[in-house]
């Protein structure tokens, strides 16, 4: 029983972080109606940014959390503005959104291979102030980097939800998500909103990078491992839904951790997909899948 | 002449070959060289190990020739002839044929890749040319009843055999009793293959298997596996891991405070140079299995490694050590054969019992072939990650005769 509770605690912490990696994906989809295949690469960029920042300056990973996301926001903002926007603008000549999906796939390959050229294929970890630290909760051991990741993931989800409801930009994002033509007619600059959405999605990948780096290693194709998971989470939670991403993440994390106490851990992968299929069958829109979810 | 009669049969289609073969033997004696053909992967995916083997052979041959060559053959010099297998079995076979028929080599060595060695040795057996395999680990290479195939390195299944020998020897040496054993391994061919042999040997040695856990190497989180491991309370944890998961497992075990008495890995990810860099002090105490380590406590090992490093700029590796030893085994056999006739060389190789001399830089005590042609003394080295001058380093602990001088293994690594 102890092992099961320990596994559940760990599963919840990992799950929240899986949710965090999916949050940016769901946000970009919600607003732009585009599946961003480059999301895993953006996570990789976030992890490498956090890695080099901590490695070179030796700062505390919590401090990196303040520096990396804004930088990634700017990166995402201009990535969308320069690379993806022209495809959107050429509406007449291209098959949207398929062409945009192909463009994001191109971004994925370029970023991954660029990282491979610059940093090589090896696994890198960095010793931070919180790496390998843990505290005891009764007879259970709670890893500090994972616990911090859990708190940051929940805070990010709440913060994003509040931003979408309370601020003018947030409302503009939601309006564009609901009906981009109507939003355009109301004076919202659609492309600027896309830039912001993409920037925010990238910034969240930066946050995820900062919380993962104290306990996980980074390498150029690290995004792929998280990406597949993020796609399942997003569909599970409902495409475009913020609470859905978090809940989807928690479900996957708990299944992975708790089920493996009763069977070989290779089986949990199969169980995740089985549950995924069942949910798709029963509720194709996912837990929170609505047209307007914010 | 046995070789002659086989050649005669083949001569039906290759008349040239026969006359050349008959002509070759006296010509060689006059030139006083013995030609050793080497089939190695000198380009392609395994080129780096091929080159390591080539350089080690050259260093050994230089030493042997400088020391007067083969005295019983009037000071005959050894000469190396190379063929590039490109790690391709088909290329390996045609190159072996070429070395035998065109280059007229007296004996052969190679090929590192098991997939190449397997058919190439078959060619040599057909022609009756002795084939010394420094390393190619597939068990079956020496299990086909061949007369002319001699392998120096340990075979695949001995890696597992030696893990259990190590556990037994260390328990005898320290008086520590280990009972509960856990298997944690990547779920590919390699891991599941090891686990299969572990189960068998663990049962035979009377261990209680408390966990038998495969995991996917691509896992994002191995905490569930470590949680299970913690609950199973094993004395010994046996691991097969690739690079990324070895790092993740080691760090997660430290984090979850899982401290079994002994953690024994199987090379691969744990032997990756990046492993220690990414785990640092978390790896202290872990035992790992390798072919050879630079610190093995054999008199000839240190000078050989220093010389090699000076010459080529890097330490001797498992492959290069085996290649180096192979040249000394060949020289020893030629000395006793006092002939370049393949059949006589074969007889001398079969009677090999090499325990001393500059070639003996391996961790085990000698080279002696059993009736299948396998070096029955061959074995694996077990190292322990220990704190040496403030830095985690791999220190040889087993076999005891090869242990680094003055090192006392931390066994159990955790109380």
């Amino acid at each position: 029983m102890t092992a099961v509770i320990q596994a559940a605690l760990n599963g919840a912490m990992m799950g929240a972080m899986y949710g965090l990696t999916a949050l940016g994906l769901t946000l970009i989809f919600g607003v732009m109606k585009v599946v961003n295949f480059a999301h895993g690469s953006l996570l990789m960029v976030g992890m490498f940014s956090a890695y080099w920042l901590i490695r070179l300056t030796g700062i505390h990973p919590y401090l990196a959390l303040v520096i990396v996301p804004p930088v990634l926001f700017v990166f995402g903002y201009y990535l969308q503005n320069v690379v993806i926007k022209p495809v959107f603008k050429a509406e007449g000549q291209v098959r949207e959104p398929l062409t945009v999906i192909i463009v994001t796939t191109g971004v994925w390959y370029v970023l991954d291979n660029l990282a491979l050229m610059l940093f090589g294929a090896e696994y890198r970890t960095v010793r931070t102030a919180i790496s390998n630290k843990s505290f005891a909760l009764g007879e259970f051991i709670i890893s500090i980097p994972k616990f911090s990741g859990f708190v940051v993931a929940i805070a990010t989800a709440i913060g994003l939800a509040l931003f979408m409801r309370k601020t003018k930009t947030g409302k503009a994002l939601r309006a564009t998500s609901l009906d981009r033509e109507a939003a355009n007619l109301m004076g919202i600059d659609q492309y600027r909103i896309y830039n912001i959405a993409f920037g925010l999605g990238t910034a969240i990948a930066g946050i995820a990078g900062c919380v993962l780096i104290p306990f996980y290693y980074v390498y150029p194709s690290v995004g792929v491992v998280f990406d597949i998971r993020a796609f399942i989470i997003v569909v599970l939670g409902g495409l475009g839904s913020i609470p859905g991403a978090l809940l989807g993440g928690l479900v996957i994390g708990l299944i992975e951790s708790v089920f493996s106490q009763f069977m070989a851990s290779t089986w949990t992968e199969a169980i995740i997909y089985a549950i995924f299929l069942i949910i798709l069958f029963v509720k194709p829109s996912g837990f929170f899948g609505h047209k307007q979810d914010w | 002449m046995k070789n002659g009669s086989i050649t005669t049969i083949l001569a039906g289609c290759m008349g040239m070959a026969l006359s050349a073969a008959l002509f070759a033997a006296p010509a060689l004696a006059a030139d006083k060289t013995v030609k050793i053909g080497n089939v190695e992967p000198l380009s392609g995916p395994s080129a780096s190990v091929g080159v390591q083997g080539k350089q080690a052979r050259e260093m050994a041959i230089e030493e042997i020739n400088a020391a007067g060559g083969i005295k019983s053959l009037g000071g005959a010099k050894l000469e190396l002839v190379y063929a590039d297998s490109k790690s391709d079995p088909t290329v390996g076979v045609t190159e072996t044929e070429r070395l035998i028929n065109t280059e007229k080599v007296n004996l052969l060595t190679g090929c590192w890749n098991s997939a190449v060695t397997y058919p190439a040795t078959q060619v040599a057996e057909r022609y009756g040319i002795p084939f010394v395999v420094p390393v190619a680990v597939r068990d079956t290479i020496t299990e086909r009843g061949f007369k002319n195939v001699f392998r120096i390195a340990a075979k695949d299944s001995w890696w597992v055999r030696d893990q259990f020998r190590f556990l037994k020897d260390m328990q005898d040496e320290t008086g520590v009793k280990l009972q509960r054993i856990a298997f944690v391994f990547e779920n590919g061919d390699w891991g599941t293959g090891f686990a299969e042999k572990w189960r068998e040997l663990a049962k035979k040695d009377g261990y209680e298997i408390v966990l038998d856990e495969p995991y996917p190497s691509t896992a994002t989180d191995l905490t569930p596996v470590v949680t299970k491991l913690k609950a199973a309370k094993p004395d010994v944890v046996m691991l097969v891991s690739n690079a990324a998961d070895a790092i993740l497992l080691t760090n997660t075990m430290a984090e979850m405070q899982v401290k079994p008495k002994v953690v024994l890995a199987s090379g691969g990810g744990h032997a990756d140079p990046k492993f220690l860099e990414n785990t640092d002090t978390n790896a202290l105490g872990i035992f790992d299995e390798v072919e050879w380590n630079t610190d093995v406590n054999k008199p000839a090992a240190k000078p050989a490694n220093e010389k090699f490093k000076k010459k080529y700029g890097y330490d001797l590796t498992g492959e290069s050590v085996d290649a180096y030893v192979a040249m000394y085994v060949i020289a020893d056999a030629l000395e006793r054969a006092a002939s370049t006739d393949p059949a006589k060389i074969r007889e001398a190789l079969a009677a090999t019992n090499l325990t001393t001399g500059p070639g003996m830089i391996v961790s085990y005590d000698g080279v002696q072939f059993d009736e299948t042609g396998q070096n029955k003394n061959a074995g694996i080295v077990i190292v322990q990650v220990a704190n040496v001058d403030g830095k985690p380093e791999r220190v040889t602990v087993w076999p005891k005769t090869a242990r680094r001088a003055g090192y006392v293994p931390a066994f159990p690594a955790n109380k």
Side-chain angles (χ1 to χ4, degrees), chain A residues 133-281:
Chain A
K133 297 265 163 49
S134 53
F135 63 89
L137 193 76
E139 53 185 320
F140 307 113
I141 294 168
I142 309 288
S143 145
I144 290 176
K146 282 179 191 157
F147 183 71
S148 327
F150 174 75
V151 173
V152 170
I154 304 274
T156 308
I158 293 174
L160 184 65
L162 284 176
F163 173 79
M164 298 302 273
R165 276 170 209 285
K166 304 286 179 198
T167 65
K168 208 167 171 189
T169 317
K171 285 175 182 159
L173 281 163
R174 282 160 58 205
T176 312
S177 144
L178 284 176
D179 188 332
R180 80 167 88 139
E181 267 85 37
N184 248 333
L185 290 174
M186 297 300 129
I188 294 169
D189 178 357
Q190 177 196 337
Y191 296 113
R192 206 179 140 259
I193 289 302
Y194 283 2
N195 290 350
I196 292 173
F198 210 90
L200 276 178
T202 313
I204 294 169
I207 296 176
C210 289
V211 303
L212 287 172
I213 213 72
F215 70 94
Y216 205 70
Y217 41 78
V218 56
Y219 56 98
S221 52
V222 68
V224 179
V225 180
F226 286 96
D227 225 8
I228 300 165
R229 208 140 281 200
F231 281 120
I232 298 176
I233 289 167
V234 167
V235 177
L236 203 61
L239 276 162
S241 162
I242 295 170
L246 201 59
L247 187 68
L250 284 170
V251 168
I252 300 250
L254 283 170
I255 293 174
E256 182 182 79
S257 193
V258 175
F259 275 64
S260 59
Q261 299 311 306
F262 302 103
M263 58 191 76
S265 47
T266 30
W267 279 101
T268 56
E269 204 91 341
I271 290 183
I272 288 173
Y273 283 99
I275 291 180
F276 175 60
L277 285 177
I278 292 167
I279 287 177
L280 274 189
F281 190 70

Side-chain angles (χ1 to χ4, degrees), chain B residues 293-323:
Chain B
N293 204 39
T294 48
D295 68 347
V296 297
N297 197 4
K298 295 283 167 177
K302 206 171 170 214
N305 188 47
E306 271 165 14
K307 187 175 170 193
F308 188 84
K309 197 168 182 176
K310 207 169 151 204
K311 220 169 148 81
Y312 301 110
Y314 62 99
D315 283 319
L316 280 165
T317 59
E319 156 65 8
S320 50
V321 165
D322 289 325

Side-chain angles (χ1 to χ4, degrees), chain B residues 7 22 62-63 133 135 150 163 175 181 186 194 202 220 226 268 281 293 319 321 324 336 338 359 362 365 372 398 406:
Chain B
T7 318
L22 292 171
E62 249 170 54
E63 290 167 3
V133 180
V135 58
F150 301 92
Q163 287 179 318
I181 195 163
E186 63 93 29
F194 260 61
T220 44
V226 175
T281 51
N293 204 39
E319 156 65 8
V321 165
Y324 184 79
R336 284 180 288 108
V362 288
D365 297 325
T372 66
W398 187 90

Side-chain angles (χ1 to χ4, degrees), chain B residues 135-157:
Chain B
V135 58
V137 290
R138 189 193 288 175
D139 280 28
T140 46
I141 287 169
T142 50
E143 289 171 358
R144 291 171 293 176
F146 285 2
K147 289 267 166 288
N148 293 288
V149 180
F150 301 92
R151 171 161 52 192
I152 293 177
K155 44 181 158 178
D156 213 2
S157 58

